[in-house]
Amino acid sequence: MSDIVQKTTTFLRSWGIDPDSVDMHQLLDTFLSEMENGLGGRESSLKMIPTYTEVVGSLPTEQPVIVLDAGGTNFRTCLVTFDTQGKARIEDFRKVSMPGVKQEVSAAQFFSAFADEVERLIDKSDRIGFCFSYAAAITSDHDGIPLVFSKEIKAPEVIGKPVAANLLDELERRGHDVSRKKVAVLNDTVATLLAGQSEASDIPYSGYIGFILGTGTNTAYVEQNNAIGKLGLFDGRSQIINIESGNFDYCPSKLDREFFDSTKQPAYYHLEKMISGAYLGPLSSLVIQKAVETGLLSKTFAERYAALGPVSTTVMSNYLEMPFNEEYALVACCSGNEDDAIALWMILEALIARAGKLTAANLAATVLKSGAGTDPRRPVCINADGTTFYKTEFLKKYTEYYLQTYLQDERKRYYKFVRIEDSPTLGAAIAGLSV
């Protein structure tokens, strides 16, 4: 082993960045315990939000459903119909800006903007599936009550107001008969899970999981109602649980604690801050800075890096993908110094490998808690969405490696990844048809 490889290995281990510093067995036990506590209504970093949405055995065919998708800064509307083969036909699609993006809006203005887009479709179906990708409590009648908006949306009056009920009220005020309209509100992770069942497959899946790893991260799975202690339901049925897994409380090293403390909400979203697109880059910046301070990276690198500014997840991924491309900023920082180039590659690769291990722990715990996947012929369908998962160099590879090792090889639980386009739209359509 060369001197720089040995020094970098020692550095990574001393700061807890090496993936081997994560005890997978202990982590799985903790994750499962937090899931149980969340389901029971006890203190937990995992909210385990009931959705009152079931996975249905078959989809109604040739029945149009109105789909609304409020996510990020865009509001999308369309009409979806599933044919007898389960293939979706998407029509009358339109995308506009979310109300409250450019300036603060009142509740009346907010729901009026939604109604403006729904009116052209209102007479085409009595079923509406509403993917509402903001923090919201889901009620037993499938409405959604916003808890908080991301910083892009400025609509404080809407917090606490059921979005489906208020939308229907606005449509009724405009003269539309909404007495037969049924609306199902769900978030994008739940929609991603439901979309997994929409794709024609010869595989008889034993369960479904929705997983998103993009700017943020979240996971959803199906749970038996009698296991959801905080609801007190013993009806023999099941429903999808929105885990809110990005908030899992876990801090493997003092360097992670330092990074958490530098973020806006240091006590929250620890898992998200170690694996998602919004944070992997900034976390790598902190680790690189420590490597500079300890002398692992040269003074020349430090000077070039200081001029570069904060590293994004895309920038760190680019270096791992093409470490000899001088057009990439981090490659230029290492120009002329092989030790810098090797150390930097090892640092970034270790961060991605650890992120893959943490991602695998999230998914493995979810599969185990679901009770599905015990028959290798009937795996769990994991519909994975998100650009960070698919485009960050090595992340998907390491996730699959650790799942293979700790879930399939050790626990004999089986799964299959799928990637379904338009998952929020399809999942919302399924929810709307099922309500």
Side-chain angles (χ1 to χ4, degrees), residues 70-75 95-106 109-110 113-114 134 149-156 158:
T73 57
N74 293 312
F75 181 59
K95 179 176 73 173
V96 298
S97 293
M98 273 287 291
V101 171
K102 297 179 180 179
Q103 59 187 19
E104 183 173 314
V105 295
S106 66
Q109 291 171 319
F110 187 86
F114 279 5
Y134 304 94
F149 281 113
S150 57
K151 62 183 180 180
E152 293 91 348
I153 306 301
K154 298 171 282 294
V158 178

Side-chain angles (χ1 to χ4, degrees), residues 178-211:
V178 298
S179 60
R180 298 179 61 186
K181 304 296 181 187
K182 293 186 177 181
V183 185
V185 179
L186 68 167
N187 83 349
D188 54 351
T189 312
V190 176
T192 299
L193 183 153
L194 288 173
Q197 71 171 127
S198 70
E199 186 173 68
S201 174
D202 294 330
I203 300 173
Y205 293 116
S206 57
Y208 294 92
I209 287 173
F211 172 63

Side-chain angles (χ1 to χ4, degrees), residues 218-342:
N218 194 17
T219 318
Y221 78 109
V222 180
E223 183 60 87
Q224 298 299 311
N225 283 350
N226 60 11
I228 311 172
K230 59 187 175 185
L231 292 187
L233 297 176
F234 301 96
D235 53 11
R237 301 174 71 174
S238 62
Q239 64 179 280
I240 299 171
I241 295 293
N242 170 17
I243 299 175
E244 288 294 329
S245 56
N247 195 50
F248 179 62
D249 184 9
Y250 180 66
C251 183
S253 76
K254 58 185 178 182
L255 196 53
D256 290 296
R257 175 60 60 191
E258 183 176 339
F259 179 65
F260 297 159
D261 288 343
S262 72
T263 62
K264 290 184 178 179
Q265 295 179 301
Y268 301 99
Y269 294 97
H270 290 172
L271 178 63
E272 186 166 285
K273 290 172 182 177
M274 293 184 287
I275 70 172
S276 75
Y279 296 101
L280 267 176
L283 175 58
S284 72
S285 295
L286 176 61
V287 179
I288 291 170
Q289 191 57 47
K290 293 296 180 185
V292 168
E293 293 173 3
T294 59
L296 179 64
L297 294 169
S298 71
K299 291 182 179 179
T300 300
F301 174 92
E303 292 170 358
R304 293 169 176 170
Y305 179 74
L308 177 61
V311 171
S312 68
T313 301
T314 299
V315 168
M316 69 181 293
S317 179
N318 286 344
Y319 183 79
L320 292 173
E321 182 182 4
M322 299 183 70
F324 295 98
N325 186 342
E326 290 284 352
E327 293 182 3
Y328 286 147
L330 287 177
V331 177
C333 287
C334 301
S335 181
N337 191 315
E338 287 290 292
D339 282 358
D340 281 343
I342 292 170

Side-chain angles (χ1 to χ4, degrees), residues 404-420:
Q404 174 77 31
T405 301
Y406 292 100
L407 183 62
Q408 186 162 309
D409 293 349
E410 284 195 2
R411 305 291 187 110
K412 305 305 178 188
R413 301 292 279 272
Y414 302 89
Y415 56 90
K416 179 179 174 61
F417 279 106
V418 300
R419 186 181 188 182
I420 299 173

Side-chain angles (χ1 to χ4, degrees), residues 157-172:
E157 284 186 11
V158 178
I159 302 301
K161 290 182 169 58
V163 293
N166 278 271
L167 172 60
L168 292 179
D169 285 348
E170 174 60 21
L171 289 167
E172 185 175 42

Side-chain angles (χ1 to χ4, degrees), residues 123-146:
D123 294 327
K124 297 185 178 182
S125 178
D126 287 331
R127 304 287 179 143
I128 301 174
F130 195 163
C131 183
F132 191 76
S133 301
Y134 304 94
I138 304 300
T139 64
S140 58
D141 61 353
H142 303 284
D143 209 334
I145 302 174

